[in-house]
Amino acid sequence: MEKIGTGEGKDLVDVSSAVGGGVQDIYGEDHATEDQLVTPWTVSVASGYTLLRDPHFNKGLAFTEKERDSHYLRGLLPPVVLSQELQEKKLLQNIREYKVPLQKYMALMDLEERNERLFYKLLIDNVEELLPIVYTPTVGEACQKYGSIFSRPQGLYISLKEKGKILEVLRNWPEKTIQVIVVTDGERILGLGDLGCQGMGIPVGKLALYTALGGVRPSACLPITIDVGTNNEKLLSDEFYIGIKQKRARGQEYDELMEEFMTAVKQNYGEKVLIQFEDFGNHNAFTLLEKYCKSHLVFNDDIQGTASVVLAGVVAALKLIGGTLPEQTFLFFGAGEAGTGIAELIALEMSKQANAPLEETRKKFWLVDSKGLIVISRKNSLQDFKKRWAQDHEPIGDLLGAVKAIKPTILIGSSGVGNTFTKEVIEAMTLFNEKPLIMALSNPTSQSECTAEEAYTWSKGRAIFASGSPFDPVHYQDKVFVPGQANNAYIFPGFGMGLVISGTIRVHVEMLQAASEALAGQVTEENYEKGMIYPPFSNIRNISAHIAAKVAAKAYELGLATRLPRPQDLVKYAESCMYSPVYRGYR
């Protein structure tokens, strides 16, 4: 057995003199966020054939001649030694050969299971090309077909069968220091509905982005699926479905399972583990967030992450559409967890800027659900989370009628229903706005309220457009428009990293506002000239470091940070904590 060294042929080095009470190393590994003062290199690595089958330490053909001798790899590899850069070049060429996005997804997941560092190097260096593969829109198709493409388990599956022994299940996971958990019950996967146990693709994809974009160590990330059944008849009759085949559990049985899960997580991993709720149904998403926000470090990306990234886009767009935030009128198509979460965060920011009561600023927000405009006459039949948005207005049954009556400056779609921002709706928006802001946020691409081309063409090039799924640049009347992507991946990796590096114990709404401010501040004049209201993803690690710094600063300001003393330069500290996918030298 050999030990990992800090570089080829070098001895073990104690690097426990870290900023802020942790451990740092020359590779930037995120040991700075761990409490125990240990030398990270005192880790044993298996040798020979076993080493080649360990994705955490395998380097494939990049093992040096010396490493092949010291780790009994002679003869187990072809004689050539390749650099990580050459391995990356070869893999990228291979992935580009696939014409079907799902095949690219499967190839990347296979790579992650073989060689973890090469997977992250490939993803980090080619983030704009590969993000739509590991995340939306391709991950949606992967979830739909997860049973058929399932090969090796990723993450933990906690089903009703494990009720009463969830703590034991958590202890089965090999990594003991977990900083971020992404958990789903699979009920509302993107805009695709109830996919049950096959929703695991979402936590796996989200945590890959936590590492690639935010710098959280892969070993500190844990994807979890809570399987309480599914109401999807197609899956229940599918012989390849990987979950329990029963109708979805509700009420007391569901609540007891979630309570046991939340208690076990805190007991096993401590107070500072971030639990990110992902793609729960509306009725559970709000309840769980409200129930556990005071006792756990919890974050709902659909409610809070989406809100934060949209607020950032709106703030940035003001430079193009003109006026201040309190002067805008918002119309939302879709009043679920995303729509109401966005509206609430923007209303809070508007209240802060205008120094006005929140109840007053909410009057600038109008929401349309499947039954039409949310108005006071409907209040008795509304779900609780919608009631605060009911306004005094005559009922209007359709979106076009609402646009004409409300005359919004900003139209936001979070309905999960595609092709609903019609030509008539876009044209109506341009009648009373010189530059209307149109945000078609529903995922995946097939569920987008309109395409970028439709928004620019129907508005005659006047719309400022952003979407949830990626769209290619649009050529219209000798001008190239680059659509913005209001992708949660801008926010949650940096947001989570900020919580981790500060040792925050609770999420506060001001942290979400700080994250939005940091993201909006990264949009350059060059971006604005192309009609962009979000910076390019090619710079995402730097963006995440700035978001992490702002979030951590707010945590210290609010007295919620536990990692003391506070580092002087939080941006540099965040960068120093980020995981590096560069290969390590082994002794």
Side-chain angles (χ1 to χ4, degrees):
M1 301 285 282
E2 295 285 330
K3 292 182 179 180
I4 303 175
T6 57
E8 187 180 341
K10 295 183 181 177
D11 293 332
L12 296 181
V13 178
D14 186 346
V15 289
S16 58
S17 55
V19 180
V23 177
Q24 289 180 310
D25 67 73
I26 59 171
Y27 289 92
E29 188 86 29
D30 182 22
H31 287 282
T33 63
E34 294 183 6
D35 288 328
Q36 63 269 32
L37 288 169
V38 295
T39 305
W41 305 118
T42 56
V43 177
S44 295
V45 178
S47 291
Y49 192 77
T50 306
L51 176 56
L52 295 178
R53 293 297 180 271
D54 188 334
H56 305 300
F57 301 112
N58 176 36
K59 299 196 291 185
L61 293 175
F63 281 109
T64 64
E65 298 286 353
K66 185 175 180 180
E67 288 169 341
R68 294 179 190 209
D69 284 331
S70 61
H71 288 279
Y72 309 102
L73 297 173
R74 285 287 173 194
L76 300 181
L77 291 166
V80 72
V81 176
L82 296 183
S83 67
Q84 190 178 24
E85 288 70 26
L86 203 54
Q87 287 180 310
E88 180 185 358
K89 180 181 178 182
K90 182 188 78 169
L91 278 163
L92 190 60
Q93 286 180 350
N94 290 345
I95 287 167
R96 285 172 176 166
E97 288 293 316
Y98 292 113
K99 302 305 178 190
V100 179
L102 186 61
Q103 292 177 326
K104 295 184 180 186
Y105 173 88
M106 293 169 67
L108 283 166
M109 292 302 103
D110 182 56
L111 172 61
E112 186 180 17
E113 292 297 325
R114 289 196 326 270
N115 186 329
E116 186 177 81
R117 286 186 181 273
L118 186 55
F119 167 78
Y120 283 110
K121 182 119 182 20
L122 187 69
L123 184 52
I124 290 167
D125 291 348
N126 305 278
V127 64
E128 289 185 293
E129 180 177 349
L130 298 180
L131 186 64
I133 304 299
V134 299
Y135 192 44
T136 56
T138 308
V139 73
E141 184 183 0
C143 287
Q144 288 176 308
K145 300 175 180 176
Y146 210 76
S148 298
I149 67 174
F150 181 86
S151 56
R152 292 182 64 181
Q154 296 171 294
L156 277 178
Y157 295 85
I158 298 173
S159 74
L160 291 169
K161 294 179 180 180
E162 281 70 59
K163 193 173 181 183
K165 46 190 175 184
I166 292 178
L167 185 59
E168 294 173 41
V169 174
L170 291 177
R171 287 173 176 165
N172 287 342
W173 189 251
E175 301 292 345
K176 304 308 174 190
T177 304
I178 298 298
Q179 294 171 335
V180 182
I181 289 172
V182 176
V183 59
T184 186
D185 71 354
E187 185 169 6
R188 196 197 59 80
I189 298 299
L190 303 174
L192 302 171
D194 187 348
L195 298 183
C197 192
Q198 297 190 169
M200 178 58 98
I202 296 295
V204 168
K206 289 273 183 176
L207 286 169
L209 300 188
Y210 258 110
T211 296
L213 312 187
V216 179
R217 289 176 296 112
S219 59
C221 298
L222 175 55
I224 296 179
T225 289
I226 305 286
D227 184 4
V228 295
T230 178
N231 293 338
N232 187 323
E233 293 293 343
K234 185 177 178 182
L235 292 178
L236 290 173
S237 60
D238 183 354
E239 62 179 330
F240 298 125
Y241 179 57
I242 59 174
I244 54 175
K245 292 192 174 183
Q246 67 168 62
K247 291 289 187 179
R248 191 169 276 279
R250 302 284 189 201
Q252 185 178 348
E253 187 178 20
Y254 180 90
D255 294 341
E256 286 175 355
L257 188 73
M258 289 304 300
E259 176 66 25
E260 184 189 348
F261 168 71
M262 296 299 289
T263 303
V265 165
K266 197 169 180 179
Q267 185 177 343
N268 203 46
Y269 299 121
E271 185 87 5
K272 291 179 283 188
V273 63
L274 171 61
I275 304 167
Q276 178 170 313
F277 296 123
E278 197 67 44
D279 288 357
F280 283 76
N282 286 338
H283 48 286
N284 287 322
F286 288 98
T287 303
L288 290 169
L289 186 59
E290 188 176 350
K291 181 176 181 180
Y292 293 107
C293 68
K294 294 179 177 64
S295 59
H296 292 68
L297 182 65
V298 293
F299 171 70
N300 186 303
D301 191 41
D302 303 300
I303 299 172
Q304 296 167 299
T306 303
S308 187
V309 76
V310 174
L311 172 58
V314 169
V315 169
L318 293 177
K319 291 191 178 182
L320 297 173
I321 66 176
T324 64
L325 186 62
E327 291 172 339
Q328 308 304 317
T329 300
F330 292 80
L331 179 62
F332 286 78
F333 183 62
E337 56 192 279
T340 55
I342 297 165
E344 185 70 3
L345 189 65
I346 300 175
L348 282 163
E349 181 65 23
M350 190 184 284
S351 171
K352 180 174 128 186
Q353 290 189 17
N355 195 24
L358 181 58
E359 293 74 18
E360 195 63 33
T361 57
R362 281 189 186 136
K363 292 177 181 176
K364 302 281 285 185
F365 295 79
W366 300 81
L367 280 69
V368 174
D369 64 8
S370 59
K371 295 180 175 61
L373 195 66
I374 294 179
V375 292
I376 287 176
S377 60
R378 291 179 53 199
K379 203 162 187 178
N380 290 339
S381 63
L382 291 172
Q383 294 164 282
D384 287 341
F385 64 89
K386 293 182 183 180
K387 287 181 178 178
R388 69 180 61 169
W389 304 105
Q391 299 220 51
D392 189 8
H393 198 284
E394 76 233 17
I396 299 175
D398 65 307
L399 176 61
L400 180 58
V403 169
K404 290 178 177 178
I406 306 303
K407 295 183 170 55
T409 55
I410 297 171
L411 176 64
I412 296 176
S414 60
S415 62
V417 183
N419 306 312
T420 43
F421 288 180
T422 61
K423 186 171 187 282
E424 292 75 19
V425 167
I426 302 295
E427 287 176 342
M429 285 293 294
T430 59
L431 281 176
F432 37 82
N433 292 295
E434 180 59 34
K435 289 187 174 181
L437 175 58
I438 294 166
M439 305 182 84
L441 303 179
S442 294
N443 284 316
T445 311
S446 59
Q447 311 303 122
S448 186
E449 285 79 7
C450 69
T451 66
E453 185 175 8
E454 288 167 346
Y456 293 126
T457 304
W458 293 338
S459 68
K460 295 183 168 54
R462 285 162 50 189
I464 308 300
F465 178 80
S467 57
S469 290
F471 284 103
D472 292 330
V474 175
H475 294 258
Y476 179 77
Q477 292 187 347
D478 300 324
K479 189 173 180 182
V480 177
F481 294 90
V482 181
Q485 190 186 354
N487 193 321
N488 291 21
Y490 275 117
I491 290 288
F492 71 81
F495 185 81
M497 190 61 165
L499 300 177
V500 167
I501 65 172
S502 59
T504 305
I505 56 173
R506 298 289 178 270
V507 169
H508 194 281
V509 68
E510 289 184 37
M511 298 174 188
L512 296 166
Q513 292 169 307
S516 299
E517 182 186 324
L519 177 55
Q522 294 296 306
V523 185
T524 66
E525 287 302 322
E526 185 183 351
N527 300 148
Y528 283 128
E529 286 171 11
K530 296 176 182 176
M532 297 168 65
I533 56 174
Y534 292 101
F537 262 107
S538 55
N539 200 29
I540 187 63
R541 276 208 150 196
N542 181 259
I543 294 167
S544 291
H546 280 83
I547 291 173
K550 282 272 192 183
V551 170
K554 187 58 68 174
Y556 283 107
E557 182 187 317
L558 295 170
L560 294 171
T562 63
R563 201 171 303 283
L564 301 171
R566 169 183 164 156
Q568 285 188 336
D569 189 328
L570 281 167
V571 175
K572 284 186 178 176
Y573 181 59
E575 289 172 342
S576 77
C577 292
M578 284 184 166
Y579 165 83
S580 167
V582 175
Y583 285 147
R584 297 172 175 231
Y586 299 163
R587 286 180 60 216

